[in-house]
Amino acid sequence: MKALPQAWIDKDVVWLAVNSGAPGKQGAGAERNRKARSQYQMPHRVLIDEGGEVGRAYDAKTPPQIVVIDGKGIVRYNGALDNQPLGRGKAGLQGYADEVLGAVTAGKPSPHSRTKPYGCSVKY
C-alpha cells in the first residue's frame, strides 16, 4: 500500500485516503490521522469523513478499498488493492489498482470495474 501511491506520484494521479470512522469509533479523528500518516509514512492527505458521506457515496466497506476516478469524475474501479488479502494469496500477485491506474492514465478502458475489497470494516 505504501509503494503504490509513490509509484504514481509523477503520473498526474492525485492520491487521497478517506477516513470515514465515526466519532468515538476505532481509527477516527484528526489526531489518529496524524499518527497514522506518520506511522505508515503516508505522503498523501487523509480526508476526515466522520459523517460517512464520502465513504457511503463510494460504497466503502473495508479499507484498504481503492476507488479510481478518471479526470472526468467517472469511477473506473472500486475494490481491492490486489488479489492478496493481507499478503496471504495463493495465486500470483495481481495488482488490480496498479493495472487500473495504468490503463486509465493511458486513456484505455479499465481492465477491472469492481472486485471484492478485503480488510477491516469501516466504522460508520
Side-chain angles (χ1 to χ4, degrees):
M1 184 64 196
K2 185 174 142 184
L4 191 59
Q6 286 299 107
W8 290 95
I9 200 163
D10 295 327
K11 297 179 175 85
D12 202 26
V13 172
V14 176
W15 197 277
L16 300 171
V18 179
N19 181 346
S20 295
K25 301 281 184 165
Q26 176 186 5
E31 183 57 32
R32 178 61 191 128
N33 279 350
R34 280 191 283 283
K35 287 180 182 177
R37 285 187 71 209
S38 175
Q39 179 181 357
Y40 300 113
Q41 300 173 349
M42 298 181 340
H44 50 276
R45 300 274 185 226
V46 179
L47 170 70
I48 298 174
D49 178 38
E50 291 182 334
E53 292 87 359
V54 174
R56 286 185 180 95
Y58 292 102
D59 197 27
K61 304 267 188 237
T62 56
Q65 186 168 337
I66 304 294
V67 179
V68 176
I69 304 166
D70 71 12
K72 296 177 183 172
I74 299 169
V75 174
R76 297 299 178 182
Y77 175 71
N78 190 330
L81 175 67
D82 55 37
N83 68 333
Q84 303 283 319
L86 308 174
R88 297 186 203 126
K90 294 180 181 172
L93 177 66
Q94 183 174 8
Y96 302 134
D98 197 47
E99 291 172 0
V100 170
L101 286 166
V104 171
T105 58
K108 298 178 182 175
S110 176
H112 313 282
S113 60
R114 193 152 182 105
T115 61
K116 183 178 180 182
Y118 58 82
C120 60
S121 65
V122 176
K123 310 296 190 267
Y124 290 113

